[in-house]
Amino acid sequence: MSASLTGAGPERAAFERLLTELRPQLHRYCARMTGSVIEGEDVVQEALLKALDAQPHAGSIGDPQAWLFRIAHNAALDHLRRRAR
């Protein structure tokens, strides 16, 4: 799914469907990064909220899946940094 995902309406609905489809993969990725299924759930929820907030301002997203995994990766790194303190 590489269509432009900006704005509201059908584009927003398509983006939300993509989030729903990718959520299990994002959760597995975050759980592996954090070493915990529970912490992975917290991180994926944070990542999805960040993605939903950023999507209207992101312009045209060429590869939405890669974009979402990058957000999840950065959220997991942030979580690990906070946990290390």
Side-chain angles (χ1 to χ4, degrees):
M1 177 172 221
S2 62
S4 173
L5 297 175
T6 61
E11 293 86 9
R12 180 65 174 215
F15 184 69
E16 290 176 5
R17 275 193 307 278
L18 178 65
L19 291 179
T20 301
E21 292 170 14
L22 289 178
R23 191 181 194 297
Q25 291 174 278
L26 290 166
H27 180 252
R28 279 192 301 275
Y29 182 75
C30 292
R32 282 189 207 117
M33 283 196 68
T34 61
S36 165
V37 172
I38 294 169
E39 289 183 13
E41 179 64 28
D42 293 342
V43 170
V44 81
Q45 287 180 19
E46 179 183 338
L48 293 177
L49 285 174
K50 286 180 179 183
L52 285 169
D53 287 343
Q55 187 264 332
H57 311 289
S60 179
I61 302 169
D63 187 350
Q65 183 172 347
W67 184 74
L68 289 168
F69 271 90
R70 186 169 49 247
I71 291 171
H73 179 82
N74 289 334
L77 289 177
D78 290 344
H79 175 81
L80 292 171
R81 286 183 193 117
R82 284 190 304 268
R83 187 172 72 178
R85 286 189 224 155

